[in-house]
């Protein structure tokens, strides 16, 4: 509240908006990490001296509030855990006796305290770099511009042009130049690809040439080394004997004998100086390779035993690898590329995401990646990703079984070009879905519907819904849901400002879709009690069972504001689902609920108005699950490239994970059309127009309901 009181009059001088909109901007920005908040405010206000002064003061004012907020959240979570433990009993799981929590350098670095509640950069970058760097040849660097370029290890300082151009006034703040900004992005992308290929090639060349798991081959190599060493020791005596016989029987070859004697003396001299012969070098190299192979094997076995200490643990991991489609790839890495296997094993790449990570402020999937600043990822191809969660997601997508070629993440320029192409493909929605009761018509925001990108024709992958399936709704209630919609203005790839969009607020569209969806579902499955609704922003809240009768009353319990952390809501939904069906499942202390053969399917409708900060973690988690089907509705601003960029991302995930489907809409939304498409995907079968119209009729609620 203190931050809002200070910032409101300051911000009103810089942005000509109403007080409610300014409050929304303040609340939303306060929920962002420091770097993201700074970037967001620069995008809104520009780089004028007054704007920069406000941004600096804003960060100072919210730092004290962040500490208090973090303490309150911690106390609240502790209290909630105590209450939860009293209210429910989890299925018993007996962990190995006398087991200490497993740790390694990556786990330790993942617990680095962050600078603020939602920060995504560790306060000790050196510790993170040491933990995630390959020990063979990689070097750490940073973006400290006080170090002269000639002495810096940072390749981006020498090979990438500044986005600000070459000619900037020395007396004022720097402003990015659209042409230089575009050139900087192009050069960064090229350098990322070059450095990624070089790093992969270096480590591939250092992988053991012998099978570290084949004892017979190690023993043969050791035997050959022993024979060579023994032969090396015998050779000087044999040479001396040959020289003696040669001097007696062949007196005419004294010159050769003298040469041999000189060679022998030279060899003795070289040996006295510690210079090894070629045979000795080969023996030393083989000795080193065998020692390294055994050391590598022991390290892998120790890490595996520490991470997966019993049979049930290993079974959960094996099932996860199979569901994700990584079983053969992981086995190949373990057998043929053990250096890379051990590195990814320590980072947890081969197992489910631990439950505790969902609500943790810091974990190994929450760190930003910024190649130009030295904030590194975990894999060899880390340059070009936004954070470690996105890096792991695309590593899985690029290597899982059934993938056709490499599904490389599009670079920034390609992603923006594809977003603009998608945006240009929008057409008028089908006229038969027109409704006078749609939110945009009731609020009279602007005439008609906005053009929409038509979804691909529905194809059923999962089995159709059955009565035992569990339908739930997860709603994004972050601050942006209540914003007056705006779209960014671009000059090439540089944001130069924002424009207001004449469309309803996202929260109003979400409420209308939920009403239509629950009414249709009640007519379909005759569940007139309603459906579980959970909301999420920075934290998750269970609202209760909603139906046509109580939606307005329940909606008053919803509070809009905060960040967009979908994993908090997803974890709450999973807990609700398995508390209903705990008899058919087990609860693991690290990996959480594990569905059994009789566990009903969870069918979730997820409503978003933008990309969650932990969306990649959510998509990763869904890859390993077969008991959940998620249908995503993405609400967007009309004509906004950011919306279409996120839609393309969701489409890529939907293409590879058939348990995920999505529909999006922008601007003035044809709600009946959206609801029809959502129902097809949620229920898993083609719904004709006549059947949809029957489902739309208001359900006949009984008095007892």
């Amino acid at each position: 509240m203190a931050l809002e009181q200070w910032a409101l009059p300051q911000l009103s001088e810089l942005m000509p908006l109403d007080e409610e909109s300014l409050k929304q901007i303040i609340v939303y920005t306060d929920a962002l990490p420091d770097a993201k908040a700074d970037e967001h405010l620069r995008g809104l206000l520009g780089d004028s001296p007054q704007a920069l002064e406000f941004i600096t003061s804003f960060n100072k004012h919210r730092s004290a509030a962040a500490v208090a907020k973090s303490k309150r959240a911690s106390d609240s979570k502790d209290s909630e855990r105590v209450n939860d433990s009293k209210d429910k009993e989890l299925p018993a799981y007996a962990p190995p006796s006398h087991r200490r929590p497993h740790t390694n350098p990556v786990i330790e670095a993942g617990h680095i305290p962050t600078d603020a509640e939602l920060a995504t950069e560790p306060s000790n970058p050196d510790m993170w770099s040491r933990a995630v760097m390959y020990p063979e040849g990689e070097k750490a660097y940073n973006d400290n511009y006080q170090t002269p370029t000639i002495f810096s290890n940072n390749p981006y300082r020498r090979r990438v042009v500044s986005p600000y151009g070459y000619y900037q006034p020395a007396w004022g703040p720097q402003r990015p130049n659209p042409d230089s900004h575009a050139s900087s992005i192009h050069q960064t992308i090229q350098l990322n690809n070059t450095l990624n290929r070089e790093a992969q090639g270096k480590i591939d060349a250092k992988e053991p040439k012998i099978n570290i798991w084949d004892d017979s081959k190690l023993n043969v190599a050791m035997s050959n080394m022993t024979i060579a060493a023994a032969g090396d020791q015998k050779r000087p005596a044999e040479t001396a004997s040959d020289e003696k016989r040669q001097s007696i029987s062949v007196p005419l070859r004294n010159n050769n004998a003298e040469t041999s004697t000189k060679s022998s003396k030279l060899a003795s001299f070289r040996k006295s100086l510690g210079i090894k012969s070629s045979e000795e070098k080969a023996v030393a190299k083989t000795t080193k390779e065998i020692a390294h192979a055994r050391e590598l094997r022991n390290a892998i076995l120790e890490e595996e035993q520490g991470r997966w200490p019993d049979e049930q643990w290993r079974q959960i991991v094996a099932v996860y690898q199979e569901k994700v489609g990584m079983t053969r790839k992981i086995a190949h890495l373990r057998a043929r590329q053990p250096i890379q296997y051990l590195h990814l094993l320590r980072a947890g790449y081969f197992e489910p995401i631990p439950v505790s990570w969902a609500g943790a402020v810091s974990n190994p999937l929450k760190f930003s990646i910024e190649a130009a600043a030295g904030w590194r990822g975990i894999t060899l191809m880390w340059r070009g990703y936004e954070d470690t969660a996105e890096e792991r997601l695309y590593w899985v997508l690029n290597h899982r079984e059934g993938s056709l070629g490499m599904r490389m993440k599009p670079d920034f320029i390609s992603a923006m070009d594809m977003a603009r192409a998608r945006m240009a493909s929008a057409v008028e929605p089908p006229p038969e879905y027109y409704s006078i009761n749609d939110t945009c018509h009731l609020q009279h925001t602007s005439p008609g519907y906005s053009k929409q990108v038509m979804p691909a024709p529905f194809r059923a992958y999962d089995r159709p819904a059955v009565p035992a399936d569990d339908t739930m709704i997860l709603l994004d209630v972050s601050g942006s849901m209540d914003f007056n919609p705006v779209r960014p203005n671009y000059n090439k790839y540089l944001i130069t400002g924002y424009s207001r969009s004449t469309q309803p607020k996202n929260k109003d569209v979400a409420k209308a879709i939920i009403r239509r969806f629950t009414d249709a579902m009640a007519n379909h499955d005759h569940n007139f009690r309603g459906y579980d609704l959970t909301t999420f922003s920075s934290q998750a809240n269970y609202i209760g069972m909603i139906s046509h009768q109580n939606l307005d009353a329940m909606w008053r319990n919803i509070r809009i504001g905060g960040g967009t952390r979908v994993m908090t809501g997803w974890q709450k939904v999973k807990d609700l689902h398995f508390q209903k069906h705990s008899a058919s499942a087990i609860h693991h202390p690290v990996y959480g609920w594990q569905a059994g053969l009789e566990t009903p399917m969870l069918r979730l409708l997820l409503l978003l108005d933008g990309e969650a900060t932990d969306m990649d973690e959510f998509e990763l988690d869904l890859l390993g699950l077969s008991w959940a089907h998620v249908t995503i509705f993405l609400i967007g601003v009309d004509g906004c490239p950011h919306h279409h960029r996120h839609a393309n991302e969701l489409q890529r995930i939907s293409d590879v994970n058939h348990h995920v489907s999505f529909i999006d809409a922008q601007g003035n939304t044809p709600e009946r059309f959206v609801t029809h498409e959502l129902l097809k995907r949620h229920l898993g079968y083609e719904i004709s127009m006549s059947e949809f119209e029957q489902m739309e009729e208001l359900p006949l609620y009984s008095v007892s309901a």
Side-chain angles (χ1 to χ4, degrees):
M1 184 61 69
L3 176 64
E4 183 177 303
Q5 292 175 348
W6 169 85
L8 193 59
Q10 306 287 335
L11 190 58
S12 64
E13 296 180 2
L14 299 172
M15 298 187 71
L17 297 175
D18 58 90
E19 182 175 322
E20 186 62 28
S21 297
L22 293 174
K23 286 181 179 179
Q24 294 169 6
I25 293 173
I26 294 168
V27 172
Y28 176 72
T29 308
D30 187 34
L32 296 174
D34 287 345
K36 297 283 187 182
D38 188 79
E39 180 183 351
H40 179 65
L41 289 175
R42 282 176 180 268
L44 288 174
L45 305 176
D47 294 314
S48 66
Q50 296 86 350
L52 294 176
E53 181 180 356
F54 172 79
I55 293 170
T56 302
S57 301
F58 182 88
N59 289 331
K60 290 180 179 178
H61 276 78
R62 77 174 189 148
S63 60
V67 175
K69 180 181 177 184
S70 178
K71 186 177 186 304
R72 289 195 301 272
S74 176
D75 294 342
S76 174
K77 287 179 182 177
D78 290 342
S79 175
E80 184 179 344
R81 290 192 192 102
V82 172
N83 293 333
D84 286 349
S85 65
K86 294 178 181 178
D87 294 340
K88 62 189 179 186
E89 294 184 3
L90 302 179
Y93 169 84
S97 59
H98 308 295
R99 180 180 182 270
R100 295 180 180 179
H102 177 68
T103 190
N104 63 40
V106 179
I107 295 174
E108 294 293 334
H111 295 155
I112 296 173
T114 47
D115 296 327
E117 184 189 4
L118 296 178
T120 55
E121 292 182 352
S123 57
N124 189 345
D126 292 336
M127 182 178 179
W128 177 252
S129 292
R130 287 195 301 270
V132 299
M133 278 196 310
Y134 277 84
E136 293 87 355
E138 287 199 300
K139 295 181 179 179
Y141 60 86
N142 56 45
D143 58 349
N144 181 6
Y145 282 87
Q146 295 180 350
T147 304
T149 302
I150 192 173
F151 297 117
S152 174
N153 290 328
N154 190 335
Y156 293 85
R157 289 184 60 180
R158 298 187 300 271
R159 299 162 67 176
V160 175
V161 68
S162 168
Y164 299 96
Y166 295 104
Y167 304 104
Q168 287 285 332
W171 57 86
Q174 290 187 326
R175 296 178 182 277
N177 177 283
D179 291 326
S180 299
H181 179 260
S183 297
S184 177
I185 294 175
H186 277 290
Q187 292 176 9
T188 299
I189 293 169
Q190 293 173 357
L191 186 55
N192 286 343
N193 295 335
T194 298
L195 295 177
N196 283 342
R197 287 193 300 269
E198 290 177 356
Q200 185 69 59
K202 287 180 181 178
I203 300 303
D204 284 345
K206 292 181 180 294
E207 292 287 0
K209 303 299 187 293
I210 54 179
N211 188 344
I212 68 171
W213 306 104
D214 191 339
D215 285 329
S216 63
K217 290 188 177 181
L218 288 177
N219 292 334
V220 167
M222 180 65 74
S223 175
N224 291 339
M225 179 195 70
T226 305
I227 293 171
D232 229 17
Q233 293 172 359
K234 290 165 58 179
R235 192 168 293 113
E238 293 172 353
T239 302
S241 177
D242 288 345
E243 288 171 356
K244 183 175 181 181
R245 287 194 298 270
Q246 194 175 37
S247 63
I248 296 172
S249 59
V250 190
L252 296 178
R253 302 177 72 178
N254 283 338
N255 290 339
N256 291 340
E258 290 177 5
T259 302
S260 177
T261 302
K262 290 180 180 179
S263 298
S264 177
K265 291 180 178 179
L266 180 59
S268 300
F269 179 69
R270 288 166 59 89
K271 188 172 183 179
S272 67
L273 294 178
I275 302 175
K276 296 180 179 179
S277 66
S278 58
E279 292 84 356
E280 290 173 326
K281 290 179 181 179
V283 169
K285 182 179 179 181
T286 304
T287 304
K288 186 176 180 180
E289 287 179 351
I290 294 173
H292 177 62
R294 287 179 170 164
E295 180 182 344
L296 189 57
R297 181 173 68 177
N298 292 338
I300 289 173
L301 293 174
E302 181 181 357
E303 183 70 22
E304 289 175 340
Q305 181 61 32
R307 302 190 80 92
W308 315 319
D310 64 23
E311 186 58 36
Q312 187 183 47
W313 214 302
R314 288 188 286 273
Q315 178 64 23
I316 291 174
V317 171
V319 170
Y320 169 79
Q321 293 177 3
E322 181 182 358
K323 297 292 185 186
V324 174
M326 294 293 297
T327 302
R328 283 192 290 181
K329 174 61 180 179
I330 293 171
H332 172 81
L333 283 172
R334 193 176 188 270
R336 302 295 180 86
Q337 297 173 299
I339 293 176
Q340 295 170 62
Y341 174 83
L342 177 60
H343 193 78
L344 298 175
L345 175 67
R346 286 172 172 164
Y349 267 47
F350 308 141
E351 62 194 59
I353 299 173
V355 172
S356 62
W357 289 13
V361 173
S362 176
N363 72 58
L365 291 180
K366 288 191 182 297
F367 291 135
S368 294
I369 292 177
E370 178 53 59
W375 293 102
R376 62 195 312 116
I378 292 171
T379 68
L380 290 165
M381 310 288 281
W382 59 271
R383 298 161 187 85
Y385 294 109
E386 294 181 6
D387 53 44
T388 47
E390 183 182 62
E391 177 192 23
R392 175 171 168 178
L393 173 64
Y394 275 93
W395 186 88
V396 172
L397 295 181
N398 290 340
H399 296 93
R400 69 198 303 258
E401 295 163 17
S403 295
L404 300 176
M406 294 286 281
R407 291 182 175 272
M408 295 298 294
K409 171 184 177 285
D411 58 62
F412 176 78
I413 289 178
S414 298
M416 287 298 296
D417 290 346
M418 288 188 292
R420 288 165 175 158
R422 185 182 192 275
M423 187 165 59
S425 70
V427 297
E428 296 291 341
E432 60 267 28
Y433 288 99
Y434 177 85
S435 173
I436 192 63
N437 295 321
D438 280 345
T439 306
C440 60
H441 296 146
L442 295 175
Q443 296 185 2
H444 305 290
T445 52
S446 57
Y449 294 121
S450 301
K451 291 183 177 182
Q452 305 294 329
V453 177
M454 292 294 103
F458 171 73
R459 292 179 61 187
Y461 291 105
D462 278 338
R463 63 162 173 78
V466 298
D469 290 352
D470 194 3
T471 290
M472 295 188 185
I473 301 171
L474 181 59
L475 173 65
D476 174 7
V477 292
S478 59
S480 58
M481 290 289 280
D482 199 28
F483 283 8
N484 290 315
V486 295
R487 71 174 67 88
N489 303 322
Y490 276 91
N491 185 340
K492 294 187 176 180
Y493 303 102
L494 182 66
I495 297 176
T496 57
Y498 290 83
S499 299
R500 180 74 62 88
S501 177
T502 54
Q503 65 184 73
K505 290 184 176 180
N506 296 338
K507 66 174 184 178
D508 298 329
V509 176
K511 181 181 179 182
I513 294 297
I514 289 174
R515 185 188 298 279
R516 290 181 180 274
F517 177 84
T518 52
D519 286 351
M521 284 296 300
N523 276 328
H524 171 77
D525 60 16
H526 307 292
N527 176 16
F528 301 124
R529 295 183 303 108
Y531 304 92
D532 289 305
L533 172 64
T534 300
T535 63
F536 72 92
S537 54
S538 299
Q539 296 180 352
N541 290 293
Y542 175 61
I543 303 301
M545 301 279 284
I546 61 166
S547 64
H548 181 85
Q549 290 178 312
N550 72 356
L551 178 59
D552 290 329
M554 299 296 281
W555 198 263
R556 287 193 286 271
N557 297 327
I558 294 175
R559 297 292 177 264
I560 306 292
T564 313
R565 298 176 63 186
V566 68
M567 283 297 286
T568 61
W570 173 234
Q571 194 58 50
K572 178 75 74 174
V573 165
K574 286 197 291 186
D575 286 341
L576 289 170
H577 178 68
F578 281 105
Q579 284 168 22
K580 295 179 185 179
H581 311 291
S582 60
S584 64
I586 63 169
H587 187 273
H588 189 270
V590 174
Y591 304 133
W593 289 102
Q594 307 296 312
L597 295 176
E598 303 299 323
T599 304
M601 176 172 280
L602 168 63
R603 292 186 178 270
L604 179 71
L605 174 64
L606 169 61
L607 297 95
L608 292 168
D609 76 335
E611 186 171 11
T613 56
D614 52 1
M615 194 67 187
D616 295 309
E617 290 180 57
F618 177 60
E619 293 164 356
L620 262 173
D621 201 33
L622 291 178
L623 279 173
L625 304 179
S626 59
W627 50 264
H629 182 94
V630 179
T631 303
I632 301 173
F633 174 46
L634 179 65
I635 310 170
V637 177
D638 192 10
C640 176
H642 291 178
H643 167 77
H644 293 279
R645 184 180 174 187
H646 188 203
N648 283 334
E649 171 77 17
L650 291 176
Q651 186 61 60
R652 284 192 291 273
I653 298 301
S654 179
D655 289 342
V656 299
N657 185 358
H658 297 153
H659 299 304
V660 177
S661 55
F662 104 101
I663 293 294
D664 77 296
Q666 59 176 347
N668 289 340
T669 301
E671 294 165 8
R672 293 183 66 235
F673 172 75
V674 168
T675 305
H676 190 182
E677 294 297 326
L678 288 174
L679 286 168
K680 292 178 188 178
R681 288 153 179 80
H682 180 79
L683 295 174
Y685 72 94
E686 182 66 51
I687 300 174
S688 66
M689 189 67 181
S690 60
E691 183 180 359
F692 172 62
E693 289 172 346
Q694 292 176 359
M695 295 171 71
E696 282 187 297
E697 296 177 3
L698 290 179
L700 300 175
Y701 292 95
S702 64
V703 177
S704 61

